[in-house]
Amino acid sequence: EIVMTQSPATLSVSPGERATLSCRASQNIINNLAWYQQRPGQALTLLIYDASTRATGVPARFRGSGSGTEFTLTISSLQSEDFAVYYCHQYNTWPPKYTFGRGTKLEIK
Amino acid sequence: QVQLVESGGGVVQPGRSLTLSCAASGFTFRSYGMHWVRQAPGKGLEWLTITSYDGSNKYFADSVRGRFTISRDNSKNTLYLQMDSLRPEDTAVYYCAKDRAHWGSGYFDLWGRGTLVTVSS
């Protein structure tokens, strides 16, 4: 099983500043990685797929990068609605044995 | 409105069965693969199963293979998860999620809000 490790578990950032979230895979997943956002009480929403492609309607302040085993989600100029939990998800395996990170909670500093 | 709405969760005794439903709206349900994912209390997300757009292909995680069954009724725009031989460790919020493609693109472009299943005597 590919283990996805997200860091930090909690990140405190002030509105208007930049947040950098990390996700590490236990083996090479090429660029088969997605990022999701979950606001309290809301459904998860797709932000990024294929490591760096923004999903439809996702603001340009969200940027995904990385390949292989190291990935980053950068959110520039944080807005109030960005404070949420973020999950990374690898889909490099077939038959599917998809795995997720434990999440990073982005909170207001 | 494009959405997925899960239902059918509740409290069930160990060893019993439960069936979850996921009602889809706002998109052409019969064209897309569908998944179930769960999140146990204090744990991360765990992918469980996928069905292809027509229900002809399915895969399961090792943790639920042989106990859980995924199915769909495209005439009713509904996805199902039948869970048998439930264990306390199956306690979780269960989410349905839409695949980007008809079969196993890998990522999910629409999620429901989930339904809580508690397995306890």
Side-chain angles (χ1 to χ4, degrees):
Chain A
E1 174 182 302
I2 298 176
V3 177
M4 306 301 292
T5 303
Q6 289 188 245
S7 62
T10 303
L11 182 61
S12 299
V13 183
S14 300
E17 295 190 341
R18 173 181 298 187
T20 303
L21 289 65
S22 296
C23 177
R24 174 179 294 177
S26 61
Q27 57 186 269
N28 184 1
I29 58 169
I30 313 173
N31 69 334
N32 294 309
L33 183 104
W35 290 93
Y36 303 94
Q37 177 192 66
Q38 187 175 34
R39 296 176 181 143
Q42 302 294 314
L44 283 84
T45 57
L46 176 66
L47 296 174
I48 302 286
Y49 62 91
D50 294 346
S52 60
T53 303
R54 275 191 304 276
T56 303
V58 174
R61 64 180 181 273
F62 290 89
R63 188 174 74 88
S65 61
S67 65
T69 62
E70 300 285 342
F71 301 87
T72 301
L73 175 68
T74 303
I75 312 170
S76 60
S77 189
L78 281 164
Q79 308 296 303
S80 58
E81 62 266 29
D82 300 336
F83 293 96
V85 180
Y86 293 83
Y87 295 96
C88 62
H89 159 216
Q90 71 79 19
Y91 46 92
N92 191 57
T93 48
W94 192 264
K97 289 186 183 293
Y98 305 143
T99 51
F100 296 82
R102 294 289 297 269
T104 291
K105 181 180 180 181
L106 181 58
E107 63 178 27
I108 300 175
K109 186 174 182 180
Chain B
Q1 184 178 4
V2 178
Q3 64 178 359
L4 298 169
V5 179
E6 301 93 340
S7 61
V11 179
V12 60
Q13 294 179 328
R16 303 296 291 265
S17 299
L18 194 66
T19 298
L20 306 182
S21 300
C22 169
S25 59
F27 64 97
T28 307
F29 178 73
R30 65 179 180 273
S31 296
Y32 295 95
M34 295 293 297
H35 304 257
W36 286 98
V37 177
R38 71 183 178 186
Q39 186 169 31
K43 301 280 186 70
L45 295 161
E46 179 187 15
W47 175 83
L48 298 178
T49 180
I50 178 177
T51 178
S52 59
Y53 68 105
D54 61 356
S56 63
N57 291 288
K58 303 169 186 180
Y59 281 113
F60 295 87
D62 292 343
S63 59
V64 303
R65 186 178 299 114
R67 297 190 302 125
F68 288 12
T69 303
I70 188 172
S71 62
R72 63 191 299 160
D73 186 337
N74 286 344
S75 68
K76 296 182 178 179
N77 292 339
T78 302
L79 176 74
Y80 301 99
L81 182 68
Q82 180 178 334
M83 305 182 292
D84 298 325
S85 303
L86 282 163
R87 306 165 180 169
E89 55 264 36
D90 294 318
T91 295
V93 175
Y94 285 74
Y95 299 98
C96 61
K98 170 185 168 292
D99 199 285
R100 180 187 65 84
H102 67 281
W103 171 237
S105 74
Y107 57 90
F108 317 138
D109 62 2
L110 181 67
W111 294 67
R113 294 191 180 192
T115 187
L116 176 62
V117 174
T118 302
V119 183
S120 174
S121 54

